[in-house]
């Protein structure tokens, strides 16, 4: 009986087009996925079929060709670009005498390597167990043997039944833990709602430059790399707009063509930041050959998670890799901003993107002069945090005179905290803090 080897990274890649001729860029992306998982590519096998073979996915002749290549190259692993049924995976492993991993298993492995936070690790483990639970019956037939030994023979629970029960128990535990995390995130969103802070979520195909743009806008240090799925864990930061309000910017996991459903279900709490956002910045790799296809793939995933109707602004990134391409802002037929061309790496066009965000949220701003006493340092600090201070001068009394551009909603919120603040400032100073000059 064939026993699955536990190790081995030397792999042969199998990319079979089903029904239509495939895109060369998809094949290149498949290789990048395998390399991102740590595979050492020993060879590639391609082909075309009108429909998958029910038993081996590929035909018997192609399976023999693949087996010969495995033996010649000394490969220990075969990775299929398509998803395999449990029966197909079992039959292929028996025929090829080596481990077989499909697209879903490959992406799950990458996620397992990249998860850093406690929540991310829980989500990856849940997705892996859900994927494994569908393959216990046919993929691991050696587990059907009953536990043996003196005093243990006879009717009893088989190893397969035991594993299935333990996996089901662990899935239930992980689901409860993630539900608590969902509840905690919901509390955070309610707090942001009370503070009237709009949320902008970065979405897009993996490796489109979301984390680079996030770091550029918020001056953060989120991990960024030129590789697929470099960032898995969601990160939220405040983003003050010039002459505008403060937003919450969320960096989330990247999408990919045919994202496994196990991952969509497991990463529910992470994707919730996208589903509840007020605006999506759809980051597109402007230099990518599959640009149009990637946009469609992202739209499909957004529809699948219930975020297809949220307003979007497309951000075409990496224009520094395109010849004769300048930063610009494009509008739709209604005059709304629909697309911004930028380079997150060089910073070109970032001012246009910030202007587009301010225009989208059309916050009303007041140009005001504010006179503060020497004991009102906390109020002065508030204006430096929530408004743009155009000038700051010290008065003869030891106080300050500020010229600011302040969002009306922020100022209303300040006055609502202390109803006497308005009158107190008027009586103390000849000019009110909120009176336009």
């Amino acid at each position: 009986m064939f026993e699955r080897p536990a190790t081995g990274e030397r792999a042969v890649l199998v990319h079979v087009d089903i029904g239509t001729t495939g895109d060369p860029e998809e094949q290149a992306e498949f290789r990048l996925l395998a390399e991102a998982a740590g595979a050492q590519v020993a060879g590639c096998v391609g082909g075309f079929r009108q429909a998958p073979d029910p038993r081996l996915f590929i035909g018997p002749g192609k399976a023999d060709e693949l087996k010969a290549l495995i033996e010649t190259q000394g490969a220990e692993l075969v990775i299929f670009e398509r998803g395999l049924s449990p029966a197909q995976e079992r039959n292929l492993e028996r025929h090829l005498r080596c481990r077989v991993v499909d697209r879903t298993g490959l992406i799950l492995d990458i996620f397992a390597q990249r998860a850093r936070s406690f929540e991310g690790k829980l989500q990856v483990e849940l997705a892996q167990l859900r994927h494994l639970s569908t393959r216990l019956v046919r993929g691991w037939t050696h587990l059907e043997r009953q536990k043996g030994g003196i005093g243990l023979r006879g009717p009893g629970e088989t190893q397969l039944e035991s594993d299935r029960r333990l996996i089901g128990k662990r899935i239930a535990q992980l689901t409860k833990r993630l539900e608590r995390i969902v509840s905690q995130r919901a509390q955070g969103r309610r707090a942001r709602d009370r503070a009237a802070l709009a949320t902008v979520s970065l979405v897009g195909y993996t490796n489109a430059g979301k984390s680079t743009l996030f770091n550029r806008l918020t001056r953060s240090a989120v991990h960024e790399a030129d590789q697929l799925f470099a960032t898995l864990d969601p990160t939220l930061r405040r983003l003050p707009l010039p002459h505008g309000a403060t937003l919450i910017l969320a960096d989330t996991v990247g999408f990919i063509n045919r994202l496994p459903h196990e991952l969509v279900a497991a990463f529910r709490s992470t994707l919730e930041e996208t589903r509840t956002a007020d605006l999506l910045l759809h980051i597109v790799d402007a230099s990518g050959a599959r640009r149009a296809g990637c946009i469609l793939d992202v739209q499909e995933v957004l529809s699948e998670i219930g975020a297809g109707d949220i307003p979007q602004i497309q951000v075409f990134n990496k224009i520094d890799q395109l010849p004769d391409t300048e930063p610009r802002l494009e509008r739709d037929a209604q005059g709304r901003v629909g697309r911004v061309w930028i380079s997150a790496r060089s910073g070109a066009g970032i001012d246009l993107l910030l202007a587009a965000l301010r225009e989208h949220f059309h916050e009303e701003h007041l140009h005001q002069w504010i006179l503060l006493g020497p004991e009102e340092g906390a109020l002065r600090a508030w204006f430096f945090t929530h408004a743009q201070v155009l000038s700051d001068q010290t008065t003869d009394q030891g106080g300050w005179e500020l010229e600011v551009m302040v969002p009306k909603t922020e100022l209303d919120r300040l006055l609502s905290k202390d109803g006497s603040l308005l009158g107190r400032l008027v009586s103390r100073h000849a000019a009110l803090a909120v009176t336009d000059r």
Side-chain angles (χ1 to χ4, degrees):
M1 178 177 295
F2 169 66
E3 297 288 346
R4 307 174 89 243
T7 61
E9 306 297 338
R10 189 169 175 81
V12 173
L13 309 184
V14 181
H15 185 286
V16 178
D17 297 326
I18 303 297
T20 58
T21 303
D23 188 341
E25 289 296 324
E26 289 187 356
Q27 299 181 26
E29 180 182 88
F30 175 44
R31 187 183 183 98
L32 289 176
L33 279 173
E35 293 174 347
Q40 303 169 13
V41 179
C44 299
V45 172
F48 172 84
R49 290 186 63 89
Q50 287 294 343
D53 181 77
R55 181 173 176 273
L56 295 172
F57 188 84
I58 55 179
K62 185 65 70 173
D64 291 338
E65 175 188 339
L66 178 58
K67 183 176 181 179
L69 179 61
I70 293 170
E71 295 173 350
T72 302
Q73 297 296 330
E76 306 130 317
L77 172 67
V78 175
I79 305 177
F80 275 73
E81 197 273 339
R82 299 277 178 168
L84 301 174
S85 69
Q88 289 170 339
E89 187 175 301
R90 174 203 63 186
N91 294 333
L92 283 166
E93 288 188 341
R94 283 181 174 176
H95 184 80
L96 302 175
R97 311 294 294 178
C98 70
R99 280 191 303 138
V100 174
V101 175
D102 66 356
R103 179 185 179 85
T104 299
L106 175 63
I107 296 178
L108 287 173
D109 186 86
I110 297 174
F111 273 50
Q113 296 180 47
R114 303 283 166 80
R116 294 293 180 265
S117 69
F118 175 72
E119 177 189 3
K121 293 178 181 179
L122 286 182
Q123 292 175 130
V124 171
E125 183 181 355
L126 177 60
Q128 287 178 319
L129 289 177
R130 284 174 171 167
H131 182 66
L132 176 63
S133 64
T134 65
R135 279 153 166 72
L136 277 177
V137 175
R138 290 178 176 153
W140 281 260
T141 53
H142 63 283
L143 296 180
E144 294 176 356
R145 296 191 296 268
Q146 287 188 349
K147 300 173 183 177
I150 297 175
L152 296 177
R153 297 185 180 91
E157 185 179 46
T158 65
Q159 183 65 51
L160 176 63
E161 293 168 342
S162 176
D163 288 346
R164 185 186 293 113
R165 176 175 53 82
L166 292 175
I167 287 178
K169 183 177 180 180
R170 181 59 177 168
I171 288 177
Q173 292 174 343
L174 293 175
T175 301
K176 289 183 179 179
R177 288 188 182 182
L178 288 173
E179 286 175 351
R180 287 197 293 268
I181 293 176
V182 170
S183 177
Q184 293 169 0
R185 287 189 180 278
Q187 291 177 359
R189 282 191 293 272
R190 286 194 293 270
R192 296 198 296 269
D193 290 341
R194 288 193 297 270
L197 294 177
T199 300
V200 177
S201 182
L202 301 180
V203 300
Y205 211 79
T206 181
N207 204 30
K210 295 183 300 300
S211 296
T212 303
L213 178 60
F214 183 86
N215 289 337
R216 169 72 64 175
L217 292 174
T218 64
R219 299 179 181 178
S220 301
V222 172
H223 175 67
E224 55 183 81
D226 185 16
Q227 59 182 200
L228 303 181
F229 299 116
T231 303
L232 293 186
D233 302 315
T235 307
L236 282 74
R237 294 288 187 275
R238 284 177 176 262
L239 174 62
L241 298 178
H243 306 288
T246 297
L247 308 175
I248 297 296
L249 191 65
D251 184 23
T252 59
V253 61
F255 301 152
I256 197 170
N257 180 31
R258 288 177 276 126
L259 188 67
H261 292 284
E262 291 91 343
L263 283 176
V264 174
F267 277 70
R268 181 168 56 112
S269 61
T270 296
L271 298 175
E272 194 73 17
E273 297 296 341
T274 298
R275 294 176 55 191
T276 59
D278 299 287
L279 174 69
L280 302 181
L281 290 185
H282 182 172
I283 315 302
V284 180
D285 182 356
S287 64
R290 285 192 66 245
R291 187 171 70 190
C294 291
I295 293 175
L296 292 177
D297 293 336
V298 171
Q299 297 294 0
E300 288 180 2
V301 176
L302 290 176
S303 298
E304 184 178 352
I305 66 176
D309 295 330
I310 298 177
Q312 289 186 29
I313 294 178
Q314 289 185 345
V315 180
F316 276 57
N317 188 27
K318 303 185 182 182
I319 63 172
D320 53 307
Q321 300 181 20
L322 295 175
D324 303 324
T325 303
E326 298 294 329
R328 64 181 185 272
L329 186 148
E330 298 177 359
R331 299 180 181 273
D332 58 19
Q334 289 74 38
R336 295 187 295 262
V337 177
R339 183 176 296 172
V340 184
W341 295 72
I342 69 162
S343 170
R345 181 69 66 187
S346 67
I350 295 298
D351 56 337
L352 295 177
L353 177 58
L354 293 174
L357 289 174
R358 179 185 172 187
E359 179 179 328
H360 177 83
F361 291 103
H362 55 270
E363 176 67 72
E364 181 182 355
H365 293 78
L366 303 178
H367 184 194
Q368 296 153 349
W369 282 259
I370 304 166
L371 203 60
L372 301 176
E375 73 283 2
E376 295 177 311
L379 187 56
R380 174 174 175 266
W382 183 92
F383 281 103
F384 271 92
T385 301
H386 296 84
Q388 182 184 21
V389 179
L390 303 178
S391 67
D392 178 19
Q393 299 179 359
T394 304
T395 64
D396 295 338
Q397 294 75 28
W400 303 273
E401 182 179 10
L402 305 181
E403 180 185 1
V404 300
M405 290 289 295
V406 58
K408 185 177 183 302
T409 55
E410 293 284 356
L411 189 58
D412 291 342
R413 192 177 301 113
L414 173 66
L415 296 176
S416 67
K417 294 180 179 178
D418 185 357
S420 64
L421 177 62
L422 184 60
R424 182 164 55 83
L425 289 174
V426 172
S427 61
R428 182 181 302 168
H429 308 301
L432 172 63
V434 296
T435 301
D436 290 345
R437 183 175 292 179

